[in-house]
Amino acid sequence: MSQRILDDVSTASPPRRGGDSQSAPLAPALTLVSHPLASRVGERYVLEALLAGREVALSRNEPLFTRVGEGVGRPLADPFLSRRPLRFLPRPEGGLRLEVDAGGTSVVVGGAGGGAWDFRPEVLEAGVTLELGGRVVLLLHRVALDAERSADTLGMVGQSLALGRVRTRVRQVADLEVPVLVRGETGSGKELVARALHQRSPRRRGPFISVNVGTLARELAASELFGAQRGAYTGASQSREGFFRAAHGGTLFLDEVGEAPPEVQVALLRVLETGEVFPVGSHTPVVTDVRLVAATDAPLEELIEQGRFRAPLLHRLSGYTLQMPALRERREDIALLFHHFARQELDALGEAWRLEPEDPYAEPWLPASLATRLLDFDWPGNVRQLRNVVRQLVISSRGQPRLQVDASLEAELGSGKREEPVAQTRRKPAEVSERELLEVLRECSWDLKGTAERLGITRASLYNLVDRSPHIRTVKDLSAEEISRCFHECAGDLDAMVQRLEVSRRALQRRVRELGLGPAE
């Protein structure tokens, strides 16, 4: 690409994950999802060199993948992978290109093999599964360069950016006395957050009491939570302590708090405001010393509008709010969670040795095709569903050298397949005529990114076509006098200037500012 075109195209900052507050740029990374040695699952290599415009080679012998807390890395080292490297090449706007040498390691992306793929930033955002040689599976995704990768997991398995944010927020609020509301889908691990808050708080030596409000009988919910005096209701043959008093000096975790009956909501609000509970049948308050953590997957704001949940209670419960991400939002963690649960099941069966075969040529216990399916599944039941799938797989495959998928599990995994973003299809630049190029540039108001996407070619190819065309100008071809005159004639309207001068909008805006002509909006 010529320097002239490089100068004309403004450099965009690397894209960031939606809703992410990290200030560091995002870099592509490779995380091991499946390997003949299960202990290596979760190892990662960050392709940071791509940000500097350099390519990265991947083969049996390089680069070195590392685990959290380990200083020494290891190459993939599978004997079935080629020494001839795959090449990852940087592309504009944070995308990348993967090229495979003929005769090298076979690569399958999205169920299909090939020799080259171009991945747009939004595809990397969702994550791309790469099967190498039918034995090793990698997840190509993006990570924040300053993301926390601490060996202190707070009891939560995973190293995704989303889970890292949860851990950071747990540490920020754990030692405070404010009530915490944990929100997230069912099965996403909200109780783990509550336990982490308790273990990192000054109350760690006190009790941790977990109560599922949704399972409490409506007529007994108040007595279960706040206690009851003997004879307070039919069948109350003795006094009941209640969960609040049982958690005195510790933490009380109320799961599914959105299911609380109206009378319980009133009592909870009183406890949060005064620190006192009234046992059922008693007119004397009992002082409690409890840190309350509540959780829900219910849309509490909608329940408030429907009159089914009290707004003041929501405000009291959410002294601090933590959002637990769904499993589909933390694909990097699926393999780690899978092997964590698998090891527990295999330990119970006395077959944990299957995860670490001594023969380097042995087939992986978790087949690459199954690992890919696990990553592609949408996991509507989140971590709880994954654990059940692991148990089903392990028990159904007892005595087998590899995991086998039975008919019922086959149907389950086939019913919730995630829509896999695909690599961008490309035209050959030679297929684009100069007339088509000029027409699409005008249709896209000289937005180079939009033009490249409309034409189905890479940005680099578009730059080369523009550079070779004798009929297309760039901002570098314009004199300061011509730009200044056009600026005043168009009253600083940048869109009007782009239409008149027919050059890149971004580059023109930058040049206008360099000339001190004004903001040009």
Side-chain angles (χ1 to χ4, degrees), residues 37 56 155 178 280 310 376 387 407 433 435 485:
L37 297 178
V56 175
V178 299
V280 176
R310 296 176 63 87
D376 289 347
R387 181 161 200 166
S433 67
R435 178 177 178 179
R485 183 171 60 254

Side-chain angles (χ1 to χ4, degrees), residues 103-371:
T105 298
S106 64
V107 179
V108 174
V109 177
W117 294 266
D118 286 298
F119 299 111
R120 300 186 302 271
E122 58 269 26
V123 175
L124 299 178
E125 185 82 14
V128 180
T129 305
L130 309 178
E131 289 185 37
L132 308 185
R135 289 171 56 89
V136 174
V137 179
L138 296 167
L139 182 67
L140 173 63
H141 59 111
R142 296 198 298 171
V143 297
L145 292 180
D146 67 348
E148 175 188 291
R149 295 190 74 208
S150 172
D152 181 9
T153 65
L154 303 188
M156 294 175 274
V157 176
Q159 56 185 21
S160 63
L161 184 61
L163 192 60
R165 288 196 293 266
V166 171
R167 291 193 182 108
T168 297
R169 282 152 178 68
V170 166
R171 293 189 180 99
Q172 289 171 336
V173 74
D175 63 336
L176 306 178
E177 286 296 312
V178 299
V180 176
L181 178 63
V182 185
R183 309 191 73 163
E185 296 180 6
T186 181
S188 58
K190 296 186 288 296
E191 184 168 344
L192 289 178
V193 174
R195 291 185 180 275
L197 288 166
H198 175 70
Q199 291 298 324
R200 269 68 186 176
S201 76
R203 298 173 174 267
R204 66 180 65 89
R205 299 186 184 279
F208 176 86
I209 305 296
S210 176
V211 182
N212 189 320
V213 179
T215 64
L216 298 178
R218 184 183 183 91
E219 62 275 10
L220 297 177
S223 62
E224 293 275 9
L225 289 170
F226 310 115
Q229 284 192 330
R230 180 181 177 181
Y233 54 89
T234 303
S237 57
Q238 58 185 5
S239 296
R240 182 187 295 272
E241 181 183 43
F243 291 120
F244 266 89
R245 283 191 283 177
H248 186 80
T251 302
L252 178 60
F253 174 56
L254 298 182
D255 198 6
E256 295 190 26
V257 72
E259 301 294 325
E263 60 273 17
V264 170
Q265 293 182 35
V266 172
L268 281 175
L269 184 57
R270 182 169 58 242
V271 173
L272 288 166
E273 289 177 342
T274 67
E276 298 175 340
V277 298
F278 280 85
V280 176
S282 172
H283 299 289
T284 304
V286 176
V287 176
T288 62
D289 176 23
V290 171
R291 204 273 183 85
L292 190 64
V293 179
T296 185
D297 64 345
L300 296 183
E301 292 78 9
E302 294 181 15
L303 296 183
I304 290 172
E305 292 180 0
Q306 298 166 9
R308 296 164 55 193
F309 200 83
R310 296 176 63 87
L313 178 57
L314 172 59
H315 299 151
R316 285 287 185 176
L317 290 173
S318 54
Y320 189 83
T321 301
L322 277 165
Q323 182 71 38
M324 194 65 186
L327 185 56
R328 62 181 171 274
E329 298 170 0
R330 31 184 300 223
R331 293 183 72 204
E332 307 97 299
D333 297 338
I334 292 175
L336 284 169
L337 285 163
F338 181 92
H339 284 85
H340 172 74
F341 296 139
R343 193 173 295 278
Q344 291 178 344
E345 299 296 329
L346 290 170
D347 281 341
L349 297 174
E351 297 184 2
W353 56 270
R354 293 188 181 279
L355 295 177
E356 301 295 328
E358 296 181 359
D359 181 7
Y361 292 89
E363 289 293 315
W365 179 73
L366 172 59
S369 58
L370 177 55

